[in-house]
Amino acid sequence: MEDYIKGNKEAWEEAFELRSEDYGSDLVEKIRREDYAFFYDEMKQVLERYDFKDKTIGQFCCNNGRALMSLVKSAKAKEGYGFDIAENMVQFANEKARELGINCKYIATSILDIDDTYNDKFDAIIITIGAMCWFKDLKDFFAIVGKCLKAGGKIIIHDSHPFTNMLAAPGDEEHDEKNPFNCVYSYFDHEWIGNSGMGYMVGKSYESKTFTDYTHPLSEVIGAMSNIGIVITNMHELTYDISANFEHLDNQNFPLNYILEGRKE
C-alpha cells in the first residue's frame, strides 16, 4: 500500500470516528421507506433502466455503505459487496446491512489490493462521488474494476464533473465571489493535500490527519475504462452540484456533475 493511501486510510478513519451525531442516523429509516434512497433523481432513472434482479453488484469506495444497500434492496439484487479503506466505516456498514436484513457484505481494503477472490464476480459495479479522486493513477484503479467485472457486466459512475476541478470553492483563498467561474487550477494535473478534515461528515472544520487526492480529466477516466475493454454506452452531463462545494453555481449552464455508463466487452 502506497504511503498516500495509508495516510488517507488514517484520515478517513479519524473523520468517521469524529462524525456528527446525525451523520448516517437516517440510513436505516430512509432505505426501509424509499426506493433508491440516497441517489439523485437522474442517477435513479439510470439505475431503474437496468435489470439487476438476482444479480451481484459491487461498489468501490462505498463509504458507510448506504448507496449499495439501497440499490440491492430496490433492484432486488441477489447480493452486494462494498469495498472501502476505512475499517470503522466498513464495520458500520456491515452492522446496518444486518439490521436491515439486506444481503450486503463490506470489506475493508484498498481498492488496489482487492484479491483474486472477486475475479469476474460482479454483474455491475457502481462508482459514486468521491471515489476516483483518491487514486493517483486511474489505470491502476480501473485494472481492478476490469478484473472484478464479468464479461458483459455494467459499470455506472456518478461523480462531480472534472470541470469543477478548475474552480475555487467558497472558503478557498483563490475564490472570487464576483467571478465564481474563474478557472484558477489546472484541469489536467493537480494534487490536493489538506488537513482541514471532512466537514460534511464531522459537521465542522478541524485539524485533521492528511488527506491526499487527485484531479482527473474526463479523458483520463474514459481512457482508463477503454484500456480494460469497457465500451461507453451513455453519458449525461448535468448542471447541478453534488459535492456541496458549488451549489451557488447550480443551473447556470455549466457542467457540474456527470453520469457515465459502460459495458465490459
Side-chain angles (χ1 to χ4, degrees):
M1 187 185 296
E2 294 188 49
D3 287 344
Y4 82 92
I5 295 179
K6 290 180 181 178
N8 284 334
K9 179 180 188 296
E10 294 176 0
W12 273 110
E13 289 176 346
E14 177 188 52
F16 196 70
E17 183 68 26
L18 296 173
R19 68 190 183 277
S20 63
E21 289 185 6
D22 62 345
Y23 183 76
S25 62
D26 62 344
L27 185 153
V28 170
E29 180 184 353
K30 282 182 69 69
I31 292 176
R32 280 178 176 159
R33 186 180 68 241
E34 302 175 21
D35 280 340
Y36 299 95
F38 304 110
F39 291 104
Y40 287 87
D41 286 344
E42 287 80 5
M43 181 62 164
K44 175 182 175 181
Q45 291 166 14
V46 168
L47 294 170
E48 287 178 324
R49 286 197 282 101
Y50 290 92
D51 180 8
F52 291 139
K53 186 177 181 181
D54 299 325
K55 305 294 187 183
T56 299
I57 300 174
Q59 184 182 12
F60 288 1
C61 301
C62 62
N63 199 276
N64 68 2
R66 66 184 194 176
L68 182 62
M69 280 182 260
S70 178
L71 178 56
V72 168
K73 171 249 181 181
S74 302
K76 297 180 173 58
K78 174 185 176 183
E79 58 189 353
Y81 290 81
F83 302 88
D84 201 280
I85 201 167
E87 294 182 33
N88 51 1
M89 283 199 279
V90 164
Q91 180 181 350
F92 175 91
N94 279 317
E95 290 171 356
K96 296 305 177 183
R98 286 192 292 270
E99 183 177 349
L100 284 160
I102 295 174
N103 190 17
C104 285
K105 180 180 179 182
Y106 295 90
I107 299 95
T109 182
S110 168
I111 301 305
L112 303 185
D113 294 333
I114 293 175
D115 63 35
D116 292 346
T117 302
Y118 302 96
N119 285 7
D120 300 314
K121 178 76 172 177
F122 301 113
D123 298 288
I125 290 175
I126 62 168
I127 298 169
T128 53
I129 183 173
M132 293 183 292
C133 63
W134 301 107
F135 299 90
K136 190 172 185 178
D137 189 341
L138 287 188
K139 290 181 181 177
D140 294 338
F141 177 83
F142 278 103
I144 304 300
V145 172
K147 182 177 77 169
C148 295
L149 195 60
K150 294 179 181 178
K154 310 300 190 298
I155 180 169
I156 306 168
I157 299 171
H158 191 197
D159 206 348
S160 286
H161 201 289
F163 164 76
T164 62
N165 293 330
M166 297 186 289
L167 305 177
D172 290 348
E173 184 178 344
E174 297 85 351
H175 179 68
D176 183 352
E177 186 175 347
K178 295 181 180 179
N179 298 288
F181 285 106
N182 188 30
C183 295
V184 297
Y185 304 120
S186 170
Y187 176 74
F188 294 100
D189 184 24
H190 198 91
E191 177 183 87
W192 303 80
I193 297 175
N195 297 93
S196 58
M198 280 292 152
Y200 83 93
M201 183 178 286
V202 179
K204 62 182 179 180
S205 180
Y206 62 99
E207 187 68 24
S208 71
K209 296 182 179 181
T210 301
F211 288 96
T212 305
D213 63 297
Y214 302 88
T215 61
H216 300 289
L218 201 53
S219 58
E220 187 178 345
V221 177
I222 293 173
M225 294 171 71
S226 299
N227 284 342
I228 61 166
I230 290 178
V231 174
I232 305 301
T233 57
N234 211 342
M235 182 174 178
H236 316 257
E237 294 177 287
L238 303 160
T239 61
Y240 60 87
D241 177 57
I242 62 172
S243 71
N245 290 320
F246 301 104
E247 293 171 333
H248 58 295
L249 304 180
D250 280 359
N251 304 316
Q252 297 189 48
N253 294 320
F254 285 88
L256 299 182
N257 79 83
Y258 73 99
I259 302 171
L260 193 60
E261 302 172 62
R263 181 185 67 252
K264 181 182 174 183
E265 292 294 277

